[in-house]
Amino acid sequence: MKLGMLAAFAITFVVTVVLARIFIPVLKSVKMGQKILDIGPRWHKGKEGTPTMGGLFFIAASLVPVIAAAIWQRNMILVIHYVFILFNGLIGFIDDYVKFFKKENQGLTAIQKLVLQFAVTAAYIAALHFSGEISTTVTLPFVEKSFNLESVSIIYYAILLVGIVFSVNSTNLTDGIDGLCASVTSVAVIFMGVLAIKSVNIEAGIMSAVMLGGALGFLVYNFHPAKVFMGDTGSLYMGACVCSIAMMLDLPIILLFVGIIYYIESVSVMIQVFSYKLTKKRVFKMTPIHHHFEMCGWNEVKIVFVFSAITAALAIAGCFGYIGMM
């Protein structure tokens, strides 16, 4: 299993780096550049024109190792998870393409995107249910207690549906400064990979390795100063991948640990909106919260380092909370 994960990581990393090297100039030549909104930090205007949709590099790079693993293991469950991940990437691609076509930073409307996401996620949960690959037993970390929710499975599935869509969109919000989303996701999947090895979960192990290879390969060109952005194509794919790994592990609650930064980003936006609507005052200088720290004088590298460290600390806690039960 470990050799398979290492091979999946290496293939995805190398292919991502090579594809980015080849196609970043192509994206520049067709002027597939990011449009920067005026509502963001003023210094971000200097990034306008940076090629976007770079998520296609690590998505394409993941195809070979995942398909090879599915065929070698005759593993249709991996296929179900991967199709869900790809469809989220496709939603992001459509959003990015509409932005490019309109020549502005507004793609699909929020309603259009949510309808597509809920439809894809509902189909994903249904596929796992009918294949018998979704557990209604929720295990809590540290306390070593499990709760069987089979009698209220519909409610549980509804919570999963909302939780997965929320998590994927929270990952999307994290993609706001150079290297942040890829760095945080790299840390998250490292620890999810540890849990996969401990529980001998081949599907989760392969997807963790593939996502790590893709994220690190992308960081070669995305770390500050970024030469390419992943776009919604990449961030929605990453969010779906992290959620799917948690589902493969039958540990959806692990997302609260490895995905802590995703959720802080989303909650900061919600707090800002509610505060302004109720009091006409803003709690943060700008949201998502990484922009608040930018406005406080933090540079992008410092934000990426601190946010990744927070992810690592919470992920370690989550691992310790579960690893003793495996």
Side-chain angles (χ1 to χ4, degrees):
M1 177 179 171
K2 292 178 182 178
L3 285 176
M5 289 175 65
L6 181 60
F9 165 80
I11 292 170
T12 312
F13 176 82
V14 171
V15 175
T16 299
V17 171
V18 171
L19 288 177
R21 176 84 176 191
I22 295 171
F23 287 103
I24 287 176
V26 175
L27 292 177
K28 287 182 178 179
S29 68
V30 297
K31 301 188 184 304
M32 190 71 79
Q34 180 74 37
K35 178 74 175 176
I36 305 297
L37 286 176
D38 292 329
I39 59 173
R42 64 184 183 279
W43 51 88
H44 278 211
K45 273 292 183 179
K47 300 182 180 186
E48 191 160 296
T50 302
T52 188
M53 295 175 70
L56 289 172
F57 303 147
F58 54 78
I59 292 174
S62 71
L63 290 171
V64 172
V66 173
I67 292 173
I71 293 173
W72 183 261
Q73 298 287 333
R74 296 183 180 180
N75 194 327
M76 284 304 299
I77 304 307
L78 181 58
V79 173
I80 291 173
H81 288 288
Y82 192 56
V83 167
F84 166 67
I85 297 167
L86 286 178
F87 265 96
N88 273 275
L90 177 60
I91 294 170
F93 175 80
I94 294 170
D95 192 38
D96 287 333
Y97 183 80
V98 172
K99 291 175 188 175
F100 173 70
F101 184 76
K102 289 183 176 180
K103 301 296 182 184
E104 58 186 47
N105 204 20
Q106 293 294 330
L108 296 172
T109 65
I111 296 298
Q112 288 172 332
K113 189 183 290 186
L114 284 173
V115 167
L116 289 172
Q117 289 177 313
F118 273 106
V120 167
T121 306
Y124 169 60
I125 292 173
L128 291 178
H129 170 75
F130 288 114
S131 63
E133 290 296 326
I134 188 168
S135 174
T136 53
T137 299
V138 176
T139 303
L140 300 180
F142 305 108
V143 295
E144 298 188 11
K145 287 188 177 181
S146 297
F147 300 91
N148 193 319
L149 304 178
E150 187 174 359
S151 60
V152 289
S153 59
I154 297 298
I155 296 174
Y156 176 60
Y157 289 167
I159 293 172
L160 278 180
L161 175 65
V162 174
I164 290 173
V165 172
F166 178 72
S167 298
V168 172
N169 283 318
S170 297
T171 308
N172 182 225
L173 286 174
T174 306
D175 181 35
I177 60 175
D178 297 355
L180 180 59
C181 188
S183 295
V184 168
T185 301
S186 294
V187 175
V189 295
I190 284 173
F191 289 98
M192 297 178 91
V194 170
L195 290 176
I197 292 171
K198 180 66 176 177
S199 59
V200 197
N201 189 309
I202 296 173
E203 297 93 348
I206 292 296
M207 282 312 308
S208 297
V210 164
M211 190 68 265
L212 180 61
L216 292 181
F218 188 71
L219 274 172
V220 172
Y221 301 94
N222 183 242
F223 199 76
H224 185 73
K227 298 178 180 66
V228 66
F229 299 142
M230 69 175 68
D232 285 4
T233 305
S235 59
L236 295 184
Y237 174 95
M238 278 190 173
C241 190
V242 172
C243 289
S244 288
I245 296 169
M247 294 296 290
M248 294 176 199
L249 291 168
D250 284 332
L251 298 175
I253 292 178
I254 196 64
L255 289 171
L256 297 176
F257 295 90
V258 301
I260 185 65
I261 291 298
Y262 304 147
Y263 301 130
I264 289 174
E265 296 275 18
S266 267
V267 171
S268 71
V269 174
M270 294 165 63
I271 291 173
Q272 189 86 322
V273 171
F274 288 137
S275 175
Y276 189 76
K277 285 187 175 181
L278 290 175
T279 68
K280 299 301 179 184
K281 294 181 180 180
R282 293 179 173 86
V283 176
F284 305 103
K285 294 182 178 181
M286 188 177 290
T287 57
I289 200 167
H290 55 258
H291 289 323
H292 169 80
F293 288 106
E294 278 192 284
M295 300 295 283
C296 290
W298 289 27
N299 62 48
E300 294 186 45
V301 174
K302 180 178 179 179
I303 294 170
V304 169
F305 177 80
V306 172
F307 281 29
S308 298
I310 292 171
T311 300
L314 268 292
I316 289 170
C319 280
F320 275 115
Y322 278 115
I323 211 161
M325 307 180 209
M326 294 179 172

